[in-house]
Amino acid sequence: MKPNIIETKHLSYSFGQRQVLQNLSLRVPKGSIFGFLGPNGAGKSTTIRVLLGLLQVPEGQVRVHGKDLKYNRLEILQKTGALIEMPTLYRHLSGYDNLEITRRIVQAPKSRIGEVLEVVGLHHDATRKTKEYSLGMSQRLGIALALLSDPELLILDEPTNGLDPSGIREIRNLIISLNRDFGKTIFLSSHLLSEIEKTATELAIIDKGVMLYQGRMQDLYQNAFRSQVLTLSCDNTTIAAKLLSDHQYQLIAHEAETITVQLAEKKQVAAVNRLLVENGLEVYSLNPGSQSLEDLFLSITNGDTAVNLPSETLQPAQL
Amino acid sequence: MKALTYMQSSLSAETLKLKSTFALWMAVLAPCALISMYFLAFWAKGENLVNKEVGAWVSFGMNNFIVYTQLLMPVFIALLTSMTNGIEHKANGWKHLYALPLPKSTVYFSKVLITLGLVLLSTVVFIVALIMAGTVLNWLRPELGFGTYEKLDIIIFSSFKIFLASVVIIAIQFWLSIRFNSFALAMGVAIVAIITTLVANRWEYINYYPFAYPLMVMKGFMKKEYQVFTEEVVLSMVVGCVVFILGYLDVARKKVL
């Protein structure tokens, strides 16, 4: 059992009357990429602000690096780097000067600036003013700022927010490399499932301040991906839909050309086919699939199961 | 000892933030602008402006002080504080700054020291510019009497005294500008300060009004007072320190969002 680098115990937080976090018990293992997933307004940013000591919580609720945050704020922050939403950049200064400001505060050696610039791939643009930086470059400079003190733990709040696909990929590769090559534990919050799905080894899903799932990424796939769906097309989908619902199949979607049904197990594909054929319908295609994490995420956060079409069916029909 | 290291590294970081900002330029240019106006005035109409009783230097200094203490300084301090704290507001930097391994008090008081330092810098620039202007005036119009360098020490002494008397104004504007990201608020307070000081100029309790402390120094200067810690200077420094500390307590308990 690896030690946990972040641990919260029954963490609750409210802004006045509004409860933002309820009974949150996070366990972030050392060496992991911990995906912290939730829709907008779920309490992700509040959690991160609590973890960094920007919002105060009572003693005993938050332990980072094995120490209580309430009494060891500075010691914890020395070993933690953070990027909270948009990075803090002094736009009138160059990328190098922005790094130099934080370097002076964290008292890192001067050579460290060159190192972090190399890691985030900005060494050619270091002398340019940051107001000329693209969103992706700003975000990478933000990560470089977080890396200056060579922290064991990196807390990144929505690091890919507002980036284009290539920018997102750059950040994703950077995160994976920081974890794999530099051994950093990364706490990564996002509302983008695809991001978490591609990088995280551990995952927590939160909504309305309540934890819905926490565990290893693999376990999520194994436990939750039992949900099977079947998309089919035939000559008369109206009759097929009537038939299927008469036989207790749960319809998820019914469109002009296709029908999607929920299945209990894969064997039922054959049963559905037989049912339709025996009733004189011409079956053109049968596409069994499983729910992607996205559907799962949506179904978890919406409090019911299977509301969306499986992503496979969205691809154009094959000849 | 550790607190000193924190303060040192924070101060050096804050200094770098000022690089190529207008705040830094303003601290240098504002006193130069004022001096150059009176330089031109004395060059053109010096014979009407020099009071023979007090001499050329004191006349030159007094003209500058009158405008500075009553009109220019409230605006200058409001501009300076809202610009220096505006650097952080503009960069959305508070969350980053407070998530760095620095005590909150260090973050706050290093900014206080930087702001005080900028006002002190402009005081020094004022003195240097004044001496240069007087020297050039002596060369242009020797009959005005700038050649004596008489009572220059009192002008220098009074300039620093005005700085000390403005500590409370700096403290109030600093609090406002660190708390609210509003240039209009800072300027509004400055304008109210100017008008109230002008209107209440002859009020018997004007000497207790914080925005009038520099004016009190100027009045003392005219009465040839050579004491550093006069009532208004002591009041300004004590009340200023209290406001700085209250401002810190207010900022420290505020949630960082």
Side-chain angles (χ1 to χ4, degrees), chain B residues 111-162:
Chain B
K111 284 188 180 292
V112 168
L113 287 181
I114 289 287
T115 310
L116 287 172
L118 278 177
V119 183
L120 189 61
L121 170 72
S122 69
T123 306
V124 173
V125 172
F126 175 82
I127 293 166
V128 173
L130 181 120
I131 295 171
M132 279 166 59
T135 308
V136 177
L137 278 173
N138 184 47
W139 176 64
L140 290 169
R141 298 193 59 181
E143 77 281 8
L144 290 179
F146 279 98
T148 59
Y149 291 93
E150 196 189 4
K151 295 190 180 144
L152 188 58
D153 49 341
I154 303 165
I155 295 170
I156 295 171
F157 165 84
S158 300
S159 303
F160 284 114
K161 235 179 113 175
I162 288 172

Side-chain angles (χ1 to χ4, degrees), chain A residues 241-260:
Chain A
K242 179 93 176 60
L243 260 174
L244 287 167
S245 49
D246 285 351
H247 285 79
Q248 316 301 326
Y249 288 100
Q250 195 195 338
L251 290 190
I252 300 169
H254 178 197
E255 285 163 30
E257 302 280 313
T258 60
I259 297 176
T260 307

Side-chain angles (χ1 to χ4, degrees), chain A residues 80 138 157-158 181 194 222 269 298 312 319:
Chain A
T80 308
S138 302
D157 188 8
E158 308 261 8
D181 307 332
S194 47
Q222 276 159 16
V269 176
L298 285 170
E312 288 92 326
L319 292 169

Side-chain angles (χ1 to χ4, degrees), chain A residues 183-214:
Chain A
K184 312 273 183 225
T185 307
I186 297 165
F187 184 95
L188 177 69
S189 95
S190 182
H191 64 278
L192 294 172
L193 291 136
S194 47
E195 274 325 290
I196 300 282
E197 205 173 4
K198 280 168 191 147
T199 47
T201 57
E202 299 274 330
L203 170 81
I205 300 178
I206 167 180
D207 187 34
K208 300 189 184 81
V210 181
M211 183 95 76
L212 300 173
Y213 177 87
Q214 178 166 229

Side-chain angles (χ1 to χ4, degrees), chain A residues 50 80 85-86 125 169 218 227 254:
Chain A
V50 167
T80 308
E85 287 161 359
M86 293 303 291
D125 302 292
R169 193 165 61 219
Q218 292 151 269
S227 174
H254 178 197

